[in-house]
Amino acid sequence: MTPDVDVQTLRLLVSVAERGSLGAAARELGMTQPAASARVRAFEARWRVSVLERSPRGSRLTEDGEAVVSWARTLLHELETVRSSLLALGEERRTGVAVAASLTIADLILPRWLAELRARRPQVSPRLHVVNSDTVAAMVRDGDVDLGFIESARTPPDLAARVVGHDSLALVVAPGHPWARRRTPLTLEELQAATYVVREPGSGTRSTFEAALRRQPDVVLEASSTSALLGAAAAGVGPAVVSRRAVAGDVERGRLAVVPTELDLRRPLTAIWDRRRRLRDAAADLVLIAAEASREA
């Protein structure tokens, strides 16, 4: 097999061209002049070319040497580009973490987790994508993010997962709605007969409600925003199903009322990642922080 080109000797020859002498080039690269001379002789013998003319007045590049230096400059520039890119990539892998989270988690829970991650790892710069649970899983599969958080009762079987907490949904209506004064839980049959203001398909809230209702709900309004759902419910468009965390303030102010039901509307909060890829340190820390916060709650 043909040996690779000696990059250090190429650096030496480029330095000779820039400094005007082998001695000056050797000093720039931290070599002794005898060592530099030996390198050049070995290079010439290996490639059967003469690159330097030596004389009592010093050394200068031959015509072949000038050609080698021209090629070397191009190669060394590309090597520097690769080196810089690798350093930048390594720094990004060390300090960056891309996270996708479903709406409820991103709005109401994840900010506290990210604040704790920042306290533990000040050098980390997270990037957050707020999408529904199905899209979170797709982004994890595609490698667009390192880590995802979903609030769906169904965990994608092809992804690694860890439950880091729990949440529950609430059925809410405007104060003037007939259900607002309900004291006994609504039955499954009553709930199946109603129409709702709900999140879009693919959201964890929607899938949890559908599983509890045992069918797809009749929808009067579909929205991808929790604030839009709450606004529609408060305006009397219809009952809405949202996280209890998200509606607590509106219930306290009397803008909405929680309706008791027979449904089990609890759901896990789950961290998901690609089992084929090792979690970055920052992402692994974020999973631990989320689990710790749940135990302390």
Side-chain angles (χ1 to χ4, degrees):
M1 179 180 291
T2 302
D4 289 336
V5 175
D6 181 358
V7 174
Q8 188 67 357
T9 301
L10 294 182
R11 295 186 192 280
L12 178 63
L13 293 174
V14 169
S15 185
V16 170
E18 293 172 351
R19 300 292 177 182
S21 76
L22 184 61
R27 287 191 296 274
E28 181 183 42
L29 298 179
M31 302 178 191
T32 65
Q33 184 158 344
S37 295
R39 271 188 173 275
V40 172
R41 286 194 298 271
F43 184 89
E44 291 176 321
R46 169 66 191 86
W47 298 105
R48 299 179 184 177
V49 295
S50 175
V51 294
L52 281 184
E53 290 182 353
R54 301 162 183 83
S55 71
R57 294 185 300 276
S59 302
R60 70 179 186 87
L61 293 169
T62 64
E63 184 175 340
D64 286 347
E66 295 283 0
V68 170
V69 166
S70 176
W71 302 328
R73 283 195 171 107
T74 301
L75 175 62
L76 294 174
H77 174 75
E78 294 301 325
L79 286 174
E80 180 59 26
T81 299
V82 171
R83 188 190 71 84
S84 300
S85 299
L86 287 171
L87 287 173
L89 183 61
E91 183 67 10
E92 179 184 350
R93 292 290 182 264
R94 187 178 70 84
T95 63
V97 57
V99 180
S102 53
L103 187 63
T104 299
I105 295 175
D107 281 354
L108 303 173
I109 307 170
L110 189 57
R112 295 194 296 275
W113 298 347
L114 291 176
E116 178 61 25
L117 178 65
R118 182 72 174 172
R120 296 186 188 186
R121 291 181 174 266
Q123 78 279 10
V124 171
S125 302
R127 300 185 304 281
L128 175 61
H129 303 266
V130 182
V131 290
N132 66 36
S133 291
D134 280 2
T135 305
V136 171
M139 294 182 75
V140 171
R141 287 190 194 96
D142 293 343
D144 296 329
V145 295
D146 303 296
L147 179 67
F149 289 99
I150 60 174
E151 58 212 28
S152 173
R154 299 191 302 270
T155 301
D158 58 321
L159 298 176
R162 176 176 176 178
V163 173
V164 295
H166 292 84
D167 184 36
S168 62
L169 302 180
L171 178 66
V172 295
V173 296
H177 191 282
W179 285 356
R181 295 177 294 278
R182 183 83 180 216
R183 294 294 175 264
T184 59
L186 289 167
T187 65
L188 179 62
E189 291 74 18
E190 288 175 302
L191 292 161
Q192 288 177 338
T195 58
Y196 296 92
V197 174
V198 292
R199 287 283 308 279
E200 78 286 359
S203 77
T205 298
R206 176 76 170 262
S207 65
T208 300
F209 183 49
E210 288 178 351
L213 196 61
R214 301 180 192 173
R215 51 164 287 181
Q216 292 188 355
D218 291 328
V219 178
V220 66
L221 176 67
E222 185 177 281
S224 59
S225 160
T226 300
S227 59
L229 295 185
L230 297 179
V237 175
V241 179
V242 293
S243 168
R244 284 186 179 273
R245 301 171 193 252
V247 78
D250 288 293
V251 171
E252 186 176 332
R253 291 189 295 270
R255 184 170 178 247
L256 290 166
V258 175
V259 183
T261 77
E262 292 182 350
L263 303 184
D264 181 2
L265 295 176
R266 295 171 297 175
R267 59 182 179 173
L269 306 178
T270 307
I272 57 174
W273 63 93
D274 190 334
R275 66 177 78 253
R276 299 168 301 176
R277 301 185 182 98
R278 178 182 174 273
L279 272 181
R280 297 185 192 179
D281 291 345
D285 277 358
L286 188 55
V287 174
L288 291 176
I289 288 167
E292 290 169 1
S294 175
R295 289 197 295 269
E296 294 169 1

